[in-house]
Amino acid sequence: MFSTNNLIDYIITECRKHSVKIVLDPHKEIYLDGKITGYFCDDPLELVCAIGGPPQVWLGVLVHEFCHFKQWRDNEPLYLNMNVRNVHALNIMSNWLQGTEYKKSTLDLAFTKIKKMELDCEHRSVELIREWDLPINTDNYIKSANRYIHFYNFVRKYRTWDNIYNKSYREVSHLMPIDLIDEYTKTP
């Protein structure tokens, strides 16, 4: 049986092996185009996770962001092929949220690519949680993962990265399935 500390050591070792800067921030949130709890970026190479909150929260975030690192490391096509008309899908979303206009077809494709990449990441995350026997309730993690991917539908519909919605949406997590689904076009 592995421990949480062993996993953290493993993540740090893997990141260093691939020249990825790792930051375990002592705060509950990080500000990057809004309040978030973690991210992986491949330019510049860094993995950041806010670890100031409860371990059952930040450990899931760390696993998720590490799995984005693994997508990058493993040359996962869903991670690498994120461009829509020569612009990265996440940049399209970010620029659009800040007021840049795009064609509907461009936005639809960008959000579809983002959700597919996130779904792959969530499959990897669940596998890692089970493999390392982490103290994370897998059913609850999967429900939250489903909610998170559906959150992109909210962002697309309302043109906001509104954490109030994301937090209040936790109230309906119990409606989410305990299996990762393949289609996230309509939010319950």
Side-chain angles (χ1 to χ4, degrees), residues 142-158:
I142 292 170
K143 286 180 178 192
S144 292
N146 282 320
R147 184 200 64 208
Y148 172 67
I149 298 170
H150 278 298
F151 176 66
Y152 284 98
N153 294 332
F154 170 85
V155 172
R156 174 68 177 96
K157 183 174 182 178
Y158 295 104

Side-chain angles (χ1 to χ4, degrees), residues 3-164:
S3 73
T4 300
N5 287 338
N6 289 347
L7 175 69
I8 293 169
D9 290 343
Y10 172 71
I11 289 172
I12 291 169
T13 300
E14 283 299 299
C15 286
R16 287 184 178 157
K17 188 187 311 183
H18 295 279
S19 302
V20 174
K21 177 182 174 184
I22 183 161
V23 177
L24 301 177
D25 190 289
H27 299 96
K28 288 183 180 180
E29 297 174 315
I30 304 158
Y31 188 82
L32 179 73
D33 292 336
K35 291 180 182 178
I36 59 172
T37 52
Y39 65 89
F40 171 74
C41 182
D42 57 32
D43 187 20
L45 284 169
E46 61 184 358
L47 188 156
V48 179
C49 182
I51 60 169
Q56 65 270 24
V57 173
W58 66 255
L59 184 56
V61 173
L62 180 60
V63 166
H64 176 88
E65 299 308 333
F66 179 64
C67 287
H68 279 310
F69 158 81
K70 290 173 63 176
Q71 288 175 312
W72 168 79
R73 181 197 66 194
D74 299 345
N75 294 310
E76 168 56 49
L78 289 171
Y79 182 86
L80 296 178
N81 300 325
M82 291 291 291
N83 280 358
V84 177
R85 293 169 183 74
N86 297 318
V87 180
H88 195 284
L90 289 169
N91 290 339
I92 288 172
M93 181 184 70
S94 180
N95 294 340
W96 179 70
L97 288 171
Q98 295 174 24
T100 302
E101 296 300 329
Y102 291 95
K103 291 180 179 180
K104 181 184 180 308
S105 60
T106 300
L107 289 169
D108 290 346
L109 185 55
F111 276 88
T112 296
K113 283 181 175 254
I114 291 167
K115 290 185 288 185
K116 286 182 179 182
M117 181 263 301
E118 290 294 349
L119 178 58
D120 177 77
C121 183
E122 296 298 4
H123 278 291
R124 292 167 183 259
S125 297
V126 170
E127 183 179 316
L128 191 71
I129 290 166
R130 288 178 174 151
E131 177 185 341
W132 285 76
D133 194 25
L134 295 175
I136 296 173
N137 181 304
T138 309
D139 288 349
N140 287 342
Y141 182 89
I142 292 170
K143 286 180 178 192
S144 292
N146 282 320
R147 184 200 64 208
Y148 172 67
I149 298 170
H150 278 298
F151 176 66
Y152 284 98
N153 294 332
F154 170 85
V155 172
R156 174 68 177 96
K157 183 174 182 178
Y158 295 104
R159 199 173 186 168
T160 184
W161 189 273
D162 186 344
N163 280 327
I164 293 169

